[in-house]
Each structure stands twice: as structure tokens, then as C-alpha cells.
Amino acid sequence: MPKTVIERIIQSHTQDEVVPGKIVWMDLDIRSARDFGGPNVVKNFEREYGDEPVDDNGKTFFTFDLCVPACSLRYADNQQICRDFARKHGIKIFDVDQGIGSHVLIEEGLASAGKTVVGTDSHLNILGAVDCFGQGMGDVDITFAFKTGKTWFEVPETLRVEISGTVSSGATAKDLTLYILKQLGTKKAALRAVEFYGEAVKDLSLAGRITLCSMVTEMAGIIGFIPDTAENSGYADSVAIDVSDLTPQIAAPSSPENVFDVSEHKGTKIDSGFIGSCTNGRTEDLAAAARVLQGRKVKEDVMLKVVPATRRVYQELLDQGILETLFSSGAIISNPGCGGCAEGHIGLTGMGEVQVSTGNRNFAGKQGKGETYLASPDVVAASCVAGRIITPEDL
Amino acid sequence: MAESSLSGRIWVLADKKGRLIENIDTDQIFHNAHLHITDIEKMGEYALGNLEGWKDFPQKCSPGDILVVGRNFGAGSSRQQAVDCFVALGVGTILSPSFGAIYFRNAVNSGFPVLRSPDIAQLADEGRLKSGDEVQVFFLSGKAQITNKNISFRILPMSEVQHDIYKAGGLFNYGKT
């Protein structure tokens, strides 16, 4: 009998018996590709299947979010390859104006509780935030999914994480997430699904849930869920984490699990800040930054780069006056998209540049040759005012 | 039918202290600056291009060579190129205590026989397995040995799905059978 959240979702999409460790063939409700991986999918598809149709063009999507609008000729070419394929097959494109694919799928209601979604985004497991199975996959998998609507999947074990205590007012969902990542590292959750329980996570908003679930990838986990009620059995293991008196956290270069209290890195000089990404690009995240920046200025020799997650978020920022606050503080605000997690959007670092970012990865060389710290929108905003790493409280 | 096996010369992806490098992510294997590339033949030259100490790997590697890497190899993004760059170089297989989940399935789907070995980290860290050694691995029984040293070790046998996809030459061919 399937017990855990992931087992129940998989069981409702397969005829095979669902047992951890067993490989099953499962049906996919949504198959997507973006501008990274998408052209490879098109190329694979046409090589393998020629002019044959996709399995179901109503369940197949392109989401462009990385190099948006294309800022190099090769991405302009690659995106057009996807557009031509999509138009030929009647596939809907969430084009370069729409923002981060995983967020758009949630906003559009395409990713919702109990569904199965795959795409060429390794943070697609973010969809666990809405009780949906989401999994990033490579272009071979996604090509196969476009054609067949199915994928093979090894049913993962589930780790239960019990969070005790409530976080203090100065700590955000990102601080909670970084602290959990510090405790779990990349071993405890590796290749497992994770279920998070406890008051501190139950109270999280959608934006906060997205922040936590997005970084299950950095925990080397398959996906994270925040269910209302736990089963009594079915878990491979359980871990208890006490978050009482949690203070703002920061991941120092060059690993997301390299987490410290911000106070331990306080005073480190920075050149730039980045607020956005699939982890912290929601209205709530940018509103938090705006509260810190209200009536203040980004320090003269610091760049604050802000990238809203989606066009809908952008609209909310406009409506609520948040864009104006950010702009008045001196922030640079771009169109919606992924931001500098890869070459293609703003948020990259030059050699010697120190950036404090709300993103999810700070691996050496990923965003460029500079050094990246990971923190909450509040800490990034405060640090950009001070020109050095600092909490809003200490500003 | 004889069991599928593979032999080759080893490259141990170790740091300067001789320890296996853990958590090598896909941006160290195949940097995002090259993600626009869709031709497999053009991917090989960028393999390990952002991994300190190993940027000359494409020049050093010969077809059939085997990589030994630290745990959680291929963490990070979903890019197939991080697998295909090794396919392009003709790398025979990669042995690791564990792989990033997406990386592992990408390799399986490409028909590239990645293998998990619980023993490999200890052998490498103790200096018993070194670059230049010859290794033979058997995919289904899980037997493996360092042939020039006569040391046996274990690998996790391939799952039926992985072996079937490998034999078919990748997921697409498998799907057509």
C-alpha cells in the first residue's frame, strides 16, 4: 500500500506496484521544455520521430525563462527552433515575456495537487510546494515524454523531517531553508523524497513553501512536500530539526550547504546583490526587500539586481508600489525570468566580484568567476544598503 | 550470453590531497556558458572545463577510459550535455559511490553505463586505486576488479531497466523495441 505523498501520486499514475526502490512506468500530466534543453528536445524529436505528432499537445508546453528575451544570437536561434516546432505541433509556448516556467505552471493551474509534471528544469521539484510531483529531467527524457507521455521512475524512499520550534520574527523562509539544508547536507535527503512537518513550515505561505521546496534539489533530494498530516509508517528515516531562536542564515561560497549565521560573515564587503530566482522571486520576496529599502539607498558602489519571477508577479509589484520603492532605492529591475543562475539573464558575476544573492546555488564559477553568498531578500537588501553583509536589524 | 562487462584505464578525479572530489556539479562538468550546443560531437572539448585541476581532461582522455568520481557526482542542473560530453570523448563508464538523481537517469537514457560502487571511495582515498590502473566491471553480477593489482571490489548491479536501455543503445531505441 502506498503511504507517503510521492508514493500516492505515483500510484495514481501507474499500473505497476509502487514500492520504494522499484522502477515503474508512470503517466505524465504535463511535459515541458525550456530554452535550455528545449532545442535539444526538438532536435532529438525530429531525428527520432520525424514528423510524427507528440503524444498530447494539450499536455505539452515550452517555457522560456533563461535567456529572455534572447541576448545572444545562439539563444535567439535556439528559441526560434522551439517556436517553429511548437507552432507545427500546436504546442503552447509561455514565451520570453512570461517568466520562470515552474512558477507560470503553478499560476496557470497546470501544476496542481496530485499531478505529475516533468521538464528540463532541475528545480521543477519546486512543484512539491503545491503537492504536485515535479521533476527536472534531461533532454532525452523530455523528448521521450513529449512522444509517449510516459517516463520510467524509481520510486524513492521518503525522509520525514520534523521541524520543532517557531522561527523568530527576524528569520524568513529562506533562513529556515538554509538552516534545514545545513542540517541535512547533501546526504540525509539524497535520492529521497522529503516530507516536512511542524508549525514553522505549516505556517509558510506559497512563496515560503516554494523557497523551501526549491532547495530540496540542493539537499540532493528528489522532491519535498509540506503535507498537513503525516502517516505513522512508510518513512525510510526521520530527522528532527529544532529551529527555535533561528537567526538570519547565509551560505558562503562555494556550496549551498556551507551555511552560517549571518553574524559570522557580518562586515564582508560586497559588490552586488541579486534578488529573484525560482527560490525567492515572488511578490512577497520582493516586498520584503522593499520594506528594508524603503527610504534608503543602495550604496553608491553596489549594484542591486532584481528579477521578478513572473509577469504576474511584475504586475503585482506595479500595483502595490513595490517597483517604485525598489527603483527609488537605486535597484536595477529587469523583466521576469530566471536571473543569473546561468548565462542569459542579469545576475552574473565578474572575477573578484562578491555577490550576495537570493538564488539557490553558489557553486564555483556557476554565475561567473565572482563569489556568491546565498541569503534571504531581507539580508540581500540590507547588505546592498550597507555595502557589506549585514542583517536588516543591524542596519 | 556472456555478461556485459567493460574494461579500461582509470582516471581518479581527486583533489591535490589525493581525496576524491565530492559533489561535482553539472556546471563544473559542462558549464552553462556552453548550453547552446546541441551537437554531441562538439560537447567533448568542454568536459570538466570548470573543474579546478581537471580542465585539460579532454586532451588527456582516450576512448575507453573510465572515470572514478566522488559521491553525488552530477549534482545540480538537468543538462544532458553533462553526460553527453563524456559520451563524445568515448569515456567507457563512470564509477561513483552515488550520482545526482537527474544525472544518473540522463546517463541511463543515453545508454551510457554509469555504475555505483560502495567501495570505490575507500579504494581511491587509501591510494589503492590510482589514475592509470586498469579496471574491469561486470554490469549484472556486480563484480569488479583492479586487474593490474588483483584487487576485487563491488559495484551495484544495473537494474533491469538500466541494462535493457543500455543494451538497446539508449532510451529512444529501447522505446522502439
Side-chain angles (χ1 to χ4, degrees):
Chain A
M1 272 291 283
K3 290 187 184 304
T4 67
V5 174
I6 190 149
E7 290 167 19
R8 288 199 297 269
I9 297 176
I10 294 175
Q11 189 66 82
S12 65
H13 290 78
T14 185
Q15 303 296 320
D16 300 335
E17 187 195 7
V18 172
V19 182
K22 189 170 181 290
I23 293 173
V24 300
W25 284 92
M26 60 189 283
D27 297 323
L28 301 166
D29 296 318
I30 303 288
R31 316 99 196 213
S32 63
R34 51 185 190 162
D35 45 345
F36 281 13
N40 310 60
V41 169
V42 170
K43 194 168 180 175
N44 293 339
F45 194 97
E46 293 186 334
R47 184 189 64 236
E48 297 295 329
Y49 309 117
D51 290 330
E52 291 175 36
V54 296
D55 170 67
D56 185 341
N57 59 5
K59 295 179 173 178
T60 308
F61 299 90
F62 282 97
T63 61
F64 296 160
D65 49 17
L66 274 153
C67 190
V68 289
C71 59
S72 77
L73 296 175
R74 52 202 199 203
Y75 281 110
D77 286 344
N78 280 353
Q79 287 167 1
Q80 195 58 32
I81 287 169
C82 296
R83 285 189 195 101
D84 290 344
F85 179 86
R87 285 163 191 159
K88 175 177 161 184
H89 289 271
I91 295 168
K92 180 165 176 57
I93 308 166
F94 293 104
D95 216 310
V96 295
D97 56 329
Q98 291 298 309
I100 303 174
S102 57
H103 287 241
V104 171
L105 292 176
I106 292 173
E107 289 175 353
E108 295 286 326
L110 289 163
S112 59
K115 285 193 177 169
T116 56
V117 180
V118 298
T120 59
D121 172 2
S122 59
H123 282 103
L124 204 60
N125 53 5
I126 246 176
L127 302 180
V130 292
D131 308 315
C132 176
F133 173 94
Q135 202 64 40
M137 293 183 174
D139 58 68
V140 172
D141 255 322
I142 298 304
T143 309
F144 191 79
F146 271 32
K147 182 61 192 157
T148 67
K150 292 180 191 303
T151 196
W152 61 273
F153 203 75
E154 181 175 330
V155 181
E157 292 179 336
T158 297
L159 172 71
R160 175 175 167 164
V161 177
E162 200 71 47
I163 311 286
S164 62
T166 48
V167 294
S168 58
S169 58
T172 68
K174 184 60 165 289
D175 301 307
L176 180 68
T177 300
L178 289 173
Y179 188 73
I180 292 171
L181 175 54
K182 180 182 184 177
Q183 304 306 314
L184 296 181
T186 60
K187 288 185 180 163
K188 271 282 178 194
L191 308 178
R192 288 168 161 175
V194 184
E195 293 182 14
F196 297 101
Y197 294 98
E199 290 303 315
V201 291
K202 203 173 158 191
D203 292 345
L204 289 175
S205 63
L206 175 62
R209 285 170 179 245
I210 284 175
T211 302
L212 174 58
C213 292
S214 75
M215 289 195 73
V216 171
T217 304
E218 282 59 53
M219 301 169 195
I222 299 290
I223 190 169
F225 298 102
I226 308 169
D228 290 336
T229 51
E231 292 290 327
N232 291 319
S233 62
Y235 302 103
D237 200 358
S238 68
V239 176
I241 297 175
D242 184 2
V243 297
S244 307
D245 307 318
L246 183 69
T247 57
Q249 303 287 298
I250 194 163
S254 297
S255 156
E257 59 175 322
N258 191 25
V259 175
F260 302 88
D261 287 351
V262 170
S263 57
E264 293 177 68
H265 283 270
K266 191 175 161 183
T268 301
K269 191 182 169 310
I270 64 162
D271 300 287
S272 60
F274 172 83
I275 300 174
S277 84
C278 59
T279 295
N280 277 116
R282 302 298 303 171
T283 304
E284 190 180 309
D285 298 313
L286 275 62
R291 278 196 297 277
V292 174
L293 292 166
Q294 181 77 51
R296 295 186 169 119
K297 290 280 182 198
V298 171
K299 197 163 183 289
E300 197 182 321
D301 55 357
V302 172
M303 296 169 274
L304 172 55
K305 313 160 200 176
V306 178
V307 182
T310 67
R311 192 170 177 86
R312 192 173 297 189
V313 167
Y314 203 105
Q315 179 75 59
E316 289 170 4
L317 298 174
L318 268 174
D319 294 345
Q320 296 174 27
I322 296 165
L323 278 187
E324 192 177 348
T325 305
L326 295 172
F327 182 84
S328 300
S329 76
I332 307 156
I333 304 144
S334 86
N335 60 312
C338 287
C341 281
E343 188 186 279
H345 210 190
I346 74 170
L348 304 178
T349 61
M351 192 183 290
E353 182 176 343
V354 177
Q355 175 162 276
V356 54
S357 162
T358 65
N360 42 53
R361 291 180 184 149
N362 59 350
F363 299 123
K366 179 173 174 62
Q367 289 97 349
K369 290 185 173 159
E371 298 204 313
T372 298
Y373 290 81
L374 306 176
S376 70
D378 308 63
V379 168
V380 173
S383 302
C384 285
V385 170
R388 55 201 162 81
I389 291 171
I390 199 170
T391 62
E393 223 169 37
D394 290 331
L395 206 55
Chain B
M1 196 186 79
E3 186 190 350
S4 309
S5 78
L6 209 133
S7 307
R9 179 179 63 151
I10 289 292
W11 290 101
V12 178
L13 247 64
D15 59 20
K16 284 178 187 156
K17 294 175 194 156
R19 303 277 299 182
L20 273 183
I21 308 169
E22 298 185 344
N23 298 311
I24 294 174
D25 85 293
T26 52
D27 268 306
Q28 290 167 301
I29 300 170
F30 190 94
H31 195 265
N32 64 70
H34 314 301
L35 285 186
H36 60 282
I37 299 172
T38 56
D39 289 335
I40 287 191
E41 309 80 62
K42 291 181 185 159
M43 295 174 189
E45 63 183 286
Y46 302 107
L48 302 181
N50 185 39
L51 182 63
E52 217 42 66
W54 288 90
K55 296 181 180 179
D56 58 349
F57 179 74
Q59 289 81 51
K60 296 197 296 197
C61 167
S62 301
D65 285 356
I66 292 173
L67 273 174
V68 172
V69 301
R71 65 170 292 279
N72 199 27
F73 184 78
S77 91
S78 61
R79 69 195 63 162
Q80 194 83 34
Q81 291 102 320
V83 169
D84 289 344
C85 62
F86 294 120
V87 174
L89 291 174
V91 170
T93 175
I94 302 178
L95 306 177
S96 176
S98 68
F99 294 88
I102 305 174
Y103 191 87
F104 187 78
R105 60 180 296 131
N106 284 348
V108 170
N109 289 336
S110 280
F112 181 59
V114 284
L115 296 164
R116 291 168 286 196
S117 167
D119 301 338
I120 204 89
Q122 202 183 347
L123 282 171
D125 288 344
E126 288 174 355
R128 295 163 76 200
L129 177 62
K130 288 187 169 157
S131 290
D133 284 346
E134 291 281 334
V135 158
Q136 184 174 25
V137 289
F138 292 88
F139 297 161
L140 291 178
S141 64
K143 285 193 285 190
Q145 54 179 333
I146 310 171
T147 42
N148 57 317
K149 292 177 174 167
N150 213 11
I151 296 173
S152 296
F153 63 99
R154 289 174 301 144
I155 59 167
L156 299 184
M158 278 188 181
S159 68
E160 196 181 332
V161 168
Q162 183 184 4
H163 194 246
D164 288 349
I165 293 173
Y166 169 72
K167 277 195 302 186
L171 181 66
F172 297 127
N173 288 341
Y174 172 82
K176 291 171 187 170
T177 54

